[in-house]
């Protein structure tokens, strides 16, 4: 009888010892599965967020050439350009204003007239020395005032009298960096990084507008401000800039503050491109 009692106690002890183990195993497995799912979820979310951040960081380039084809009532003319007879005749039909900058840093808006001259040209140089050239005519009252001053640009179609003075603030910021990189063939190439923005402060709120954004290989670009001054007469500095992505041609764009959309700081109203010979 004593032996049977000991056997019964041993059996009961073994059964009792196995109960906690059988109850805890599913809980542990569930915890491990939950932890694994959590880790996978976090990794997926991290990859998605990283991918989204990468897409947001990549900003599209804005080239000066993107401004070609602007259609507004405003036209530009530079004496250094080459024009066909038809283009020259179109200039004669318009009313022009020459933009000067005097020694005090003030903008002068002077009315001018164009006259077309026919000249003798060597046929060998005809492409770079056109037969028809433009001549600027000034009223005598301005000749002394403009003595030794060179016009920056000629504008047509801009009504200065319709512009109202603005109480806002406007400024420009051009960041540029040049780095030498070696390509697969072992040649060193210049990689440029241009970031040009306009900032307009309206009632303590700032409107930022991207004017130019270039990052990569460029062939000696000519990107710089030619004039930051109040061209349209609204009290805010406008921008007349060179934005050519290559050295072999000229490309200028005129940005005016008075014609900007409410969500922008300025508006590109005219672009002028010509190639040198």
């Amino acid at each position: 009888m004593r032996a049977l009692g000991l056997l019964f106690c041993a059996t009961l002890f073994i059964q009792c010892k196995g109960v906690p183990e059988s109850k805890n195993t599913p809980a542990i497995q569930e915890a491990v599965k939950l932890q694994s799912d959590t880790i996978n979820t976090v990794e997926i979310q991290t990859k998605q967020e990283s991918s989204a951040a990468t897409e947001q960081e990549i900003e599209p380039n804005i080239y000066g050439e993107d401004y070609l084809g602007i259609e507004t009532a405003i036209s530009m003319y530079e004496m250094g350009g080459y024009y066909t007879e038809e283009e020259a005749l179109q200039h004669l039909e318009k009313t022009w204003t020459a933009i000067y900058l005097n020694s005090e840093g003030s903008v002068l808006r002077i009315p001018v007239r164009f006259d077309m001259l026919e000249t003798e040209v060597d046929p060998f140089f005809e492409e770079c020395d056109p037969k028809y050239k433009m001549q600027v005519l000034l009223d005598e009252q301005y000749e002394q005032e403009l003595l030794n001053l060179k016009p920056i640009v000629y504008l047509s179609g801009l009504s200065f009298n319709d512009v109202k003075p603005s109480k806002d603030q406007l400024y420009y910021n051009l960041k540029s960096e040049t780095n030498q990189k070696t390509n697969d063939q072992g040649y060193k190439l210049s990689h440029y990084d241009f970031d040009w923005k306009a900032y307009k402060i309206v009632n303590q709120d700032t409107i930022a507008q991207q004017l130019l954004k270039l990052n990569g290989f460029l062939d000696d670009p000519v990107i710089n401000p030619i004039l930051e001054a109040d061209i349209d007469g609204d009290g805010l500095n406008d921008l007349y800039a060179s934005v050519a992505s290559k050295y072999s041609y000229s490309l200028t764009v005129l940005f005016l503050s008075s014609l900007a959309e409410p969500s922008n700081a300025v508006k590109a109203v005219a672009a002028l491109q010509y190639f040198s010979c």
Side-chain angles (χ1 to χ4, degrees), residues 114-127:
F114 284 135
D115 189 16
M116 187 171 67
L117 301 177
E118 183 176 349
T119 61
E120 294 293 333
V121 178
D122 186 334
F124 184 77
F125 298 102
E126 187 172 1
E127 291 185 1

Side-chain angles (χ1 to χ4, degrees), residues 1-8:
M1 290 296 293
R2 184 178 180 182
L4 289 174
L6 290 173
L7 180 61
F8 175 78

Side-chain angles (χ1 to χ4, degrees), residues 2-277:
R2 184 178 180 182
L4 289 174
L6 290 173
L7 180 61
F8 175 78
C9 291
T11 302
L12 183 61
F13 174 77
I14 292 173
Q15 290 178 349
C16 292
K17 184 178 180 181
V19 169
E21 184 177 347
S22 62
K23 286 184 179 181
N24 288 340
T25 299
I28 294 173
Q29 292 175 349
E30 185 66 24
V32 172
K33 183 178 182 301
L34 179 60
Q35 183 180 11
S36 176
D37 292 343
T38 303
I39 293 174
N40 292 335
T41 302
V42 171
E43 288 180 350
I44 293 173
Q45 289 178 347
T46 303
K47 290 180 180 179
Q48 290 176 345
E49 291 174 359
S50 175
S51 176
T54 303
E55 292 178 359
Q56 292 175 357
E57 290 173 359
I58 300 176
E59 298 180 1
N61 282 339
I62 302 176
Y63 293 90
E65 289 74 10
D66 293 336
Y67 291 107
L68 291 173
I70 295 174
E71 295 183 1
T72 69
I74 299 174
S75 303
M76 294 195 303
Y77 178 83
E78 288 183 349
M79 291 300 293
Y82 300 101
Y83 300 90
T84 64
E85 179 183 4
E86 181 181 357
E87 291 171 334
L89 289 172
Q90 291 176 354
H91 283 50
L92 297 180
E93 299 173 354
K94 299 178 181 180
T95 302
W96 293 91
T97 300
I99 303 299
Y100 292 82
L101 193 67
N102 63 18
S103 58
E104 299 175 355
S106 299
V107 171
L108 303 179
R109 308 175 188 91
I110 308 299
V112 297
R113 303 185 310 278
F114 284 135
D115 189 16
M116 187 171 67
L117 301 177
E118 183 176 349
T119 61
E120 294 293 333
V121 178
D122 186 334
F124 184 77
F125 298 102
E126 187 172 1
E127 291 185 1
C128 292
D129 191 12
K131 184 177 182 180
Y132 297 95
K133 299 180 181 180
M134 303 299 292
Q135 180 184 22
V136 179
L137 303 177
L138 282 172
D139 291 342
E140 293 182 2
Q141 59 177 320
Y142 300 114
E143 290 182 356
Q144 187 63 33
E145 184 180 9
L146 301 177
L147 190 64
N148 299 324
L149 292 181
K150 183 180 179 180
I152 297 172
V153 66
Y154 299 96
L155 300 179
S156 176
L158 180 58
S159 300
F160 301 99
N161 295 332
D162 296 338
V163 178
K164 296 181 179 179
S166 175
K167 297 180 181 179
D168 304 326
Q169 300 179 44
L170 179 62
Y171 64 95
Y172 304 90
N173 186 18
L174 171 59
K175 297 179 181 178
S176 61
E177 184 178 347
T178 306
N179 295 305
Q180 294 289 329
K181 295 185 179 181
T182 304
N183 63 8
D184 296 337
Q185 288 74 36
Y187 295 103
K188 289 185 177 181
L189 301 177
S190 295
H191 280 242
Y192 294 86
D193 187 0
F194 288 99
D195 188 342
W196 207 342
K197 293 180 181 178
Y199 296 92
K200 187 176 183 179
I201 302 176
V202 183
N203 297 327
Q204 297 183 345
D205 293 329
T206 301
I207 299 173
Q209 181 181 351
Q210 190 82 52
L211 304 180
L212 209 66
K213 180 68 177 178
L214 299 176
N215 193 322
F217 167 71
L218 296 172
D219 193 1
D220 292 336
V222 185
I223 297 175
N224 58 270
I226 299 174
L227 177 63
E228 289 186 22
D230 183 12
I231 297 174
D232 54 21
D234 68 343
L236 301 178
N237 280 351
D238 304 295
L239 176 63
Y240 179 55
S242 172
V243 293
S245 300
K246 188 177 175 64
Y247 70 92
S248 59
Y249 59 88
S250 170
L251 176 58
T252 55
V253 178
L254 176 63
F255 299 91
L256 296 181
S257 56
S258 61
L259 300 179
E261 300 294 333
S263 58
N264 289 335
V266 292
K267 180 177 181 178
V269 297
L272 183 62
Q273 181 184 42
Y274 65 84
F275 293 84
S276 58
C277 292

